[in-house]
């Protein structure tokens, strides 16, 4: 029945949408025709139209007049234009027609009609005001601009308050209407026109750039072909001369090897005769062909060249320069914006974050050379030859890329991790071997540097990459070893699991992720559900309650959810929100939140980010109850814009279960105590070798191996400054409410939902009838009569107890059957359904 009802509702919705779209098309066509007829007005048509009544428009007299009509839309168009120009408001009558055109467009797109009706009222009032103003004037075209209605209003106003008063009143009304009603429309129109011309200029520039690029490529190809032909010709000439020299040399040797009985004839005397026994000079060799420089018109990019550290023993070391990110000022973007309910909102300024100290990008070349020598020396002990070595210096570690001899096995290098740590005298660990580096014919050895460079939040936000990003939920992760700022899209992850030991940097990482979203998204674009069993980590975000934190019915006192049982209820509320959003997607005929927001711009969904700061505490107190909604959200919520960020300091298998881990492809591992914990998080070892204090490994579904990143630092004072700045702004007009959660009863099962009915065993009703009929209840009875296994019979008995059919077990005493008759049982079963 539910499927049939849903099908009928869908068909009714489609019929209503088709009727609405058809009405919008008709209204737009009518408005366009009237606008074109008014603009096609001709004064010579008026005498013919005045003498021809409306009802004779299809008569023979009308046919005779039709040939003399100048209006491009014939008799009907001329009749409409005379009515609007002469009878109504003159040419300003076209303004309300544009309002009807906008109303028809809204109907066709099935968008809310409020803005279109507001625009229609504004255009109607402006048309009346302009018509009255032109009625007061004496310019030659005043009659066309005022119409009969405008002249009447002008005459009335001039009689009552005089001409100066009438002019003042109409001018003030026009200014007030434009300021209070038309300001937004005019601003949006100017912005749309500017965006259109900007897009056109960008397209023209792109076409020019593409043409110039193709021209350069063509010139380069021609130059390369010419250079190749010259090189081939030179090679042939060189081979030809070398062949001639070899022939000449062979002839000279043959003449010397002639029999001694017959001396050779004396050579003809020459002017420069060599001595008789002089050694034959070696054949002259041609110089190698010079390298040919191919000119190309390309932009010169100033990039630091790699430094080379010479070594007396072993290969030279190349120090690769790090990535230099293009800096950008976030405060140069548009900070003041409007939400969907027309509330002014201002993004937090970048000045709320502490300025980084003058970064000294220099490195200790001597220390790197010593580290490289110790590394090479240790590898030589185990007979591992290194052909080439390159180094990249990051904020806290340096990556040594080693190209090994072909006969060296990777497994030999991997087994030397502890020996290399001892050779490098690294007491704090931090040495990690990447064997091999993805995409390179080399292995990597990450070794801590002597002078680490701090990474602060402001330095990773003030980059061009973050300012101009087009991601749905951009989050900053930190800086890589090559000093590149790593930014990823939480919407494509789609969920993030964070784990690490106490003090490794999990809470700071959560603050960094939330700050990234606060600096890039408006309150109507993203909301947060914050669950903090530790009660103190996410406390500063309470100030965002009127902007970024939705309310949950029955939990108004918990802005930040701290009670484990209420955390379960909050997660169930988010599950209901997910189910509701899927129903909206089904009605709209789209597959994800992006397509829905493009189609329904005025009813766009916001993204919902659920942050759990300590999963281990929830798993201890709630267990199965909290795992179920997290699993459902992780499996299904991505398409409707709901994403999870889950952190825990105890990365064990009873906290990060296989079901949870399977649905979190993106993971962050901070420093952990053992390889077992590292494998629990990332499925590989390496996190046990991290340095702590923000040193982390990031693994996403796109990566074959984890990437080492230094998480930026943001202090609590900076977080307080940002939340206070946002909290002092005017709250949103529309209050965001999540669905009411199904609250748990004493047994931990949720009341008021269909999940309990769906979870009941298929033999539940038969078991209920059996125990009521026999008036005794035991697991062995269910096993014998219904042929159930012990575990299943025990579960059915628990369900009978939960639904009030049998009493709770009391040791060895038999359970009491609480329902005494089959009629009472049938009534109870109907109520349960």
């Amino acid at each position: 029945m539910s499927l049939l009802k849903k099908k009928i509702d869908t068909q009714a919705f489609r019929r209503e949408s088709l009727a609405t779209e058809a009405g919008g098309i008709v209204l737009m066509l009518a408005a366009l025709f009237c606008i074109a007829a008014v603009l096609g007005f001709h004064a010579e048509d008026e005498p013919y139209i005045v003498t021809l009544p409306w009802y004779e428009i299809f008569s023979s007299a009308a046919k005779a007049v039709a040939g003399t009509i100048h209006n491009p839309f014939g008799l009907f168009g001329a009749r409409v234009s005379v009515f609007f120009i002469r009878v109504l408001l003159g040419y300003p009558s076209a303004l309300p027609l544009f309002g009807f055109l906008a109303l028809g467009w809204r109907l066709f797109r099935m968008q809310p009609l409020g803005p279109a009706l507001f625009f229609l009222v504004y255009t109607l009032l402006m048309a009346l005001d302009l018509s009255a103003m032109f009625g007061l004037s004496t310019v030659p075209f005043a009659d066309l601009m005022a119409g009969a209605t405008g002249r009447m209003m002008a005459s009335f106003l001039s009689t009552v308050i005089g001409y100066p008063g009438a002019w003042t009143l109409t001018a003030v009304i026009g200014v007030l209407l434009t300021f209070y009603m038309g300001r937004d429309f005019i601003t949006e129109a100017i912005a749309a026109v500017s965006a259109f011309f900007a897009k056109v200029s960008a397209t023209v520039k792109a076409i020019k750039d593409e043409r110039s690029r193709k021209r350069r490529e063509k010139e380069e190809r021609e130059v390369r072909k010419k250079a190749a032909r010259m090189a081939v010709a030179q090679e042939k000439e060189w081979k030809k001369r070398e062949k001639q020299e070899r022939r000449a040399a062979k002839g000279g040797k043959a003449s010397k090897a002639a029999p001694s009985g017959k001396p050779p004839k004396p050579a003809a005397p020459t002017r420069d005769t060599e001595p008789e026994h002089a050694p034959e000079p070696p054949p002259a060799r041609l110089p190698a062909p010079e390298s040919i420089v191919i000119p190309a018109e390309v932009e010169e990019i100033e990039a630091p060249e790699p430094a080379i550290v010479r070594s007396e023993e072993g290969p030279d070391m190349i120090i690769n320069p790090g990535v230099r990110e293009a800096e950008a000022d976030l405060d140069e973007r548009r900070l003041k914006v409007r939400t969907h309910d027309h509330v002014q909102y201002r993004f937090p300024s970048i000045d709320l974050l502490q300025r980084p100290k003058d970064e000294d990008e220099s490195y200790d070349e001597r220390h790197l050379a010593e580290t490289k020598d110790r590394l090479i020396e240790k590898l030589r002990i185990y007979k591992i030859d290194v052909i080439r070595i390159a180094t990249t210096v990051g904020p806290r570690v340096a990556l040594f890329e080693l190209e090994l001899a072909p006969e060296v096995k990777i497994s030999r290098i991997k087994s030397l991790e502890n020996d290399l740590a001892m050779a490098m005298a690294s007491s704090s660990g931090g040495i990690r071997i990447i064997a091999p580096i993805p995409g390179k014919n080399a292995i990597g050895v990450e070794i801590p540097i002597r002078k680490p460079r701090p990474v602060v939040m402001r330095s990773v936000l003030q980059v061009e990459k973050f300012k101009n990003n087009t991601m749905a939920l951009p989050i900053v992760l930190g800086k890589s070893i090559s000093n590149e700022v790593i930014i990823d899209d939480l919407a494509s992850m789609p969920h993030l699991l964070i784990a690490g030991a106490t003090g490794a940097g999990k809470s700071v990482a959560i603050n960094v992720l939330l700050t990234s979203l606060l600096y890039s998204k408006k309150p109507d674009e993203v909301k947060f559900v914050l669950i903090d069993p530790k009660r103190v980590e996410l406390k500063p975000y309470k100030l965002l309650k009127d902007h970024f934190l939705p309310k949950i019915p029955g939990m108004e006192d918990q802005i930040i959810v701290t009670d484990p049982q209420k955390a379960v209820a909050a997660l169930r509320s988010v599950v209901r929100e997910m189910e509701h959003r899927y129903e909206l997607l089904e009605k709209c005929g789209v597959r994800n939140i992006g397509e829905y927001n493009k189609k329904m711009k005025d009813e766009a969904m916001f993204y919902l980010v659920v942050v759990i700061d300590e999963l281990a505490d929830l798993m201890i107190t709630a267990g199965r109850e909290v795992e179920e909604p997290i699993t459902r959200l992780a499996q299904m919520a991505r398409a409707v814009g709901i994403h999870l960020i889950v952190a825990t300091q105890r990365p064990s298998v009873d906290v990060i279960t296989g079901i949870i881990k399977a649905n979190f492809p993106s993971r962050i591992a901070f420093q952990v105590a053992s390889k077992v914990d590292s494998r629990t998080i990332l499925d590989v070892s390496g996190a046990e070798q991290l340095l702590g204090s923000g040193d982390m490994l990031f693994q996403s579904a796109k990566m074959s191996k984890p990437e080492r990143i230094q998480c930026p630092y943001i202090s609590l004072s900076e977080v307080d400054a940002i939340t206070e700045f946002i909290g002092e702004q005017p709250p949103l007009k529309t209050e965001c409410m999540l669905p009411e959660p199904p609250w748990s009863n004493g047994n931990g099962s949720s009341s008021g939902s269909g999940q309990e009915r769906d979870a009941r065993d298929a033999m539940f009703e038969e078991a209920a009838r059996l125990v009521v009929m026999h008036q005794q209840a035991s697991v062995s009875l269910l096993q014998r009569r219904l042929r159930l296994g012990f575990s299943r019979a025990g579960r059915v008995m628990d369900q009978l107890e939960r639904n009030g059919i049998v009493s709770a077990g009391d040791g060895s005493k038999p359970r009491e059957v609480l329902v005494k008759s089959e009629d009472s049982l049938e009534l109870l079963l109907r109520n349960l359904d």
Side-chain angles (χ1 to χ4, degrees):
M1 291 294 292
S2 60
L3 292 175
L4 179 61
K5 184 178 179 181
K6 190 175 290 185
K7 186 175 181 180
I8 293 172
D9 293 342
T10 305
Q11 291 176 353
F13 175 75
R14 289 178 179 173
R15 285 196 299 270
E16 291 177 3
S17 62
L18 287 175
T20 305
E21 291 176 356
I25 292 173
V26 171
L27 185 59
M28 284 193 294
L29 291 176
L32 285 172
F33 176 80
C34 292
I35 291 170
V38 168
L39 297 179
F41 172 79
H42 201 280
E44 295 180 4
D45 296 341
E46 189 175 359
Y48 302 104
I49 297 301
V50 171
T51 58
L52 187 68
W54 280 96
Y55 55 84
E56 293 185 1
I57 197 168
F58 297 107
S59 64
S60 57
K63 294 181 181 178
V65 173
T68 60
I69 295 299
H70 296 83
N71 195 298
F73 294 94
L75 279 172
F76 191 69
R79 170 68 70 179
V80 171
S81 65
V82 170
F83 174 73
F84 279 106
I85 298 295
R86 294 298 188 187
V87 178
L88 290 183
L89 303 174
Y91 276 107
S93 302
L95 293 178
L97 295 175
F98 280 106
F100 281 108
L101 180 64
L103 184 63
W105 175 252
R106 285 271 177 170
L107 281 172
F108 176 70
R109 295 294 301 276
M110 296 184 65
Q111 296 176 345
L113 302 181
L117 292 173
F118 190 76
F119 179 67
L120 176 61
V121 172
Y122 167 69
T123 54
L124 181 60
L125 294 177
M126 281 301 298
L128 290 169
D129 188 69
L130 290 174
S131 179
M133 291 180 71
F134 280 108
L136 293 170
S137 67
T138 57
V139 294
F141 52 87
D143 290 335
L144 296 177
M145 299 298 294
T149 305
R151 287 294 188 187
M152 289 173 57
M153 291 189 296
S155 176
F156 174 75
L157 292 174
S158 61
T159 302
V160 174
I161 57 177
Y163 275 98
W167 272 107
T168 304
L169 178 63
T170 53
V172 170
I173 290 175
V175 171
L176 291 177
L177 286 174
T178 303
F179 184 77
Y180 286 105
M181 297 184 70
R183 178 177 53 183
D184 292 340
F185 301 118
I186 295 173
T187 304
E188 291 175 2
I190 294 174
V193 171
S194 303
F196 173 75
F197 283 110
K199 191 173 182 180
V200 170
S201 62
T203 305
V204 172
K205 185 177 182 299
I207 293 173
K208 289 182 178 179
D209 293 342
E210 182 67 17
R211 287 181 178 177
S212 60
R213 185 184 64 80
K214 289 182 178 180
R215 186 172 62 251
R216 288 198 302 269
E217 289 180 354
K218 186 177 179 182
E219 292 175 356
E220 290 176 8
R221 284 196 298 269
E222 292 177 355
V223 171
R224 288 194 183 97
K225 288 179 181 179
K226 186 176 180 181
R229 288 195 296 269
M230 292 173 61
V232 170
Q234 264 188 336
E235 184 70 19
K236 287 182 178 179
E237 183 68 22
W238 182 77
K239 288 182 178 179
K240 184 177 179 182
R241 292 186 181 182
E242 192 177 39
K243 200 172 184 181
Q244 290 177 355
E245 291 175 0
R246 283 200 298 268
R247 286 179 180 175
K250 287 181 181 178
K253 290 179 181 179
S255 61
K256 286 185 180 182
S260 57
K262 294 183 179 180
K265 295 181 180 179
T270 57
R271 201 168 44 174
D272 298 327
T273 306
E274 293 289 337
E276 186 175 353
H277 301 287
E280 186 177 354
R285 288 189 173 272
L286 289 175
E290 296 180 358
S291 59
I292 300 171
V293 179
I294 302 173
E297 298 178 4
V298 295
E299 295 183 1
E300 294 184 0
I301 301 175
E302 293 185 1
E305 297 182 356
I308 299 177
V309 179
R310 304 292 180 185
S311 176
E312 298 179 358
E313 297 182 1
D316 296 336
M317 180 174 63
I318 302 172
I319 302 178
N320 296 320
V323 176
R324 298 183 66 89
E325 294 283 358
E327 294 187 0
D329 189 359
L330 284 185
D331 290 347
E332 292 179 356
R333 60 180 178 166
R334 186 182 177 189
L335 293 180
K336 289 184 178 180
V337 293
R338 282 180 177 269
T339 60
H340 286 313
D341 49 2
H342 303 287
V343 175
Q344 291 277 0
Y345 176 74
R346 183 181 177 87
F347 284 106
S349 171
I350 195 68
D351 291 330
L352 297 175
L353 299 175
Q354 296 177 2
R355 293 182 178 274
K357 298 179 181 178
D358 295 334
E359 294 187 4
D360 184 11
E361 297 187 359
S362 61
Y363 44 83
D364 191 347
E365 190 173 306
R366 180 179 177 183
H367 173 66
L368 291 177
E370 293 175 354
T371 305
K372 170 248 180 185
D373 291 338
R374 288 200 302 269
L375 182 62
I376 297 296
E377 181 182 356
K378 190 67 177 180
L379 292 175
R380 278 180 181 165
I381 295 174
Y382 293 96
K383 299 180 181 179
I384 296 175
D385 296 329
V386 178
I387 301 174
R388 187 186 64 85
I389 184 168
T391 305
T392 304
V393 183
R396 297 187 68 185
V397 297
L399 173 63
F400 290 84
E401 299 179 13
L402 310 176
E403 185 177 339
L404 307 177
E407 67 274 6
V408 179
K409 292 183 178 181
I410 292 179
S411 58
R412 293 179 59 194
I413 298 291
K414 195 68 178 173
S415 62
L416 297 177
E417 195 165 5
N418 295 330
D419 298 311
L420 293 178
M422 183 180 65
M424 298 296 111
S426 176
S427 59
S428 60
I431 294 180
R432 190 173 73 102
I433 294 179
I434 311 171
I437 298 175
K440 294 184 178 181
N441 183 24
I443 67 162
V445 181
E446 295 172 349
I447 300 175
I449 58 178
R450 183 176 293 174
K451 293 174 60 179
R453 299 193 295 270
V455 179
V456 297
M457 191 66 195
R458 180 163 179 159
S459 66
V460 295
L461 289 183
Q462 282 206 133
V463 294
E464 199 73 29
K465 186 187 297 184
F466 182 80
K467 179 183 177 182
N468 299 326
N469 78 85
T470 57
M471 301 175 183
L473 294 174
I475 54 174
V476 175
L477 298 174
K479 283 189 177 183
S480 66
I481 291 181
S482 60
N483 291 297
E484 178 186 5
V485 176
I486 305 298
I487 300 175
D488 210 334
D489 191 358
L490 181 61
S492 63
M493 283 186 176
H495 311 291
L496 184 60
L497 177 64
I498 305 174
T502 304
K506 298 185 304 300
S507 298
V508 173
I510 290 176
N511 289 333
V512 168
L513 301 180
L514 293 177
T515 303
S516 304
L517 296 174
L518 293 177
Y519 268 93
S520 59
K521 293 298 169 184
K522 298 185 294 182
D524 56 348
E525 293 176 336
V526 65
K527 302 287 184 185
F528 305 125
V529 174
L530 305 180
I531 299 175
D532 181 19
K534 293 189 287 188
R535 300 175 181 268
V536 294
E537 297 294 346
L538 301 178
K539 188 177 179 180
Y541 297 97
K542 281 187 176 181
L543 300 176
L544 306 181
K545 61 181 180 180
D546 296 327
H547 300 85
F548 288 94
L549 302 182
K551 292 180 174 55
I552 302 174
M555 300 175 57
E556 288 78 5
D557 59 328
Q558 296 255 326
I559 301 172
I560 308 294
V561 183
T562 56
D563 184 19
Q565 291 301 325
K566 291 187 177 181
V568 174
L571 291 173
R572 287 177 176 164
S573 175
V574 176
V575 171
R576 284 196 169 181
E577 173 71 13
M578 175 190 72
E579 294 170 349
H580 173 64
R581 291 189 175 197
Y582 269 113
E583 292 174 1
L584 293 178
L585 295 189
E586 181 185 11
K587 288 182 180 180
C588 193
V590 294
R591 298 180 61 185
N592 54 52
I593 185 175
E595 296 177 5
Y596 181 86
N597 288 346
K598 286 180 182 178
K599 193 171 183 179
M600 310 291 287
K601 292 184 178 179
D602 292 322
E603 299 177 5
M605 295 181 189
F606 55 83
Y607 285 88
L608 186 60
V609 180
V610 181
V611 180
I612 303 175
D613 188 30
E614 186 48 69
L615 179 63
D617 185 69
L618 292 182
M619 294 295 288
I620 292 172
T621 55
R624 176 70 179 174
E625 290 184 72
V626 75
E627 184 180 3
E628 180 184 349
I630 289 177
T631 304
R632 289 200 65 197
L633 291 172
Q635 289 174 341
M636 297 177 58
R638 176 194 61 83
V640 292
I642 300 176
H643 306 278
L644 299 173
I645 299 176
V646 178
T648 180
Q649 66 180 3
R650 192 160 65 87
S652 55
V653 292
D654 58 337
V655 176
I656 306 176
T657 63
I659 298 177
I660 291 179
K661 193 166 72 169
N663 293 287
F664 282 78
S666 298
R667 306 164 197 166
I668 290 177
F670 290 92
Q671 186 184 37
V672 294
S674 64
K675 290 184 179 181
V676 176
D677 292 343
S678 178
R679 291 193 182 100
T680 303
I681 307 167
L682 302 174
D683 295 326
V684 294
S685 60
E688 75 281 359
Q689 297 289 349
L690 297 177
L691 299 172
S693 301
D695 191 16
M696 70 182 190
L697 293 177
F698 173 62
Q699 171 82 62
S700 71
K702 307 172 187 176
M703 299 178 179
S704 59
K705 292 189 177 182
E707 181 179 6
R708 194 164 187 173
I709 298 173
Q710 177 61 40
C711 180
Y713 176 74
I714 180 170
S715 63
L716 290 178
S717 60
E718 292 173 289
V719 175
D720 291 337
I722 294 170
T723 54
E724 288 174 6
F725 177 83
I726 297 175
E728 291 172 355
Q729 299 190 43
L732 302 184
K733 294 179 181 177
T734 57
E735 193 176 54
C736 180
M737 294 285 291
L738 293 181
E740 184 176 359
W743 294 96
S744 300
N745 56 28
N747 297 323
S749 61
S750 59
S751 59
S753 70
Q755 293 181 0
E756 184 180 336
R757 183 183 68 243
D758 297 337
R760 287 204 296 265
D761 194 279
M763 302 298 291
F764 172 79
E765 294 187 2
E766 291 189 31
R769 293 186 180 96
L770 180 66
V771 298
V772 171
M773 183 175 63
H774 290 275
Q775 285 298 304
Q776 61 178 354
S778 65
V779 174
S780 60
L781 176 66
L782 300 183
Q783 286 182 270
R784 292 194 312 272
R785 294 300 182 92
L786 302 180
R787 296 183 180 181
L788 302 178
F790 179 79
S791 299
R792 187 179 180 186
R795 286 197 300 271
V796 173
M797 187 60 67
D798 291 339
Q799 292 173 10
L800 293 173
E801 175 191 343
R802 192 178 303 126
N803 289 281
I805 298 174
V806 300
S807 65
D810 187 10
S812 60
K813 295 181 180 180
R815 294 174 183 262
E816 180 184 357
V817 180
L818 303 178
V819 180
K820 301 303 180 182
S821 66
E822 295 187 6
D823 294 336
S824 301
L825 175 65
E826 294 298 330
L827 180 61
L828 176 62
L829 293 177
R830 282 198 298 271
N831 291 334
L832 290 177
D833 291 334

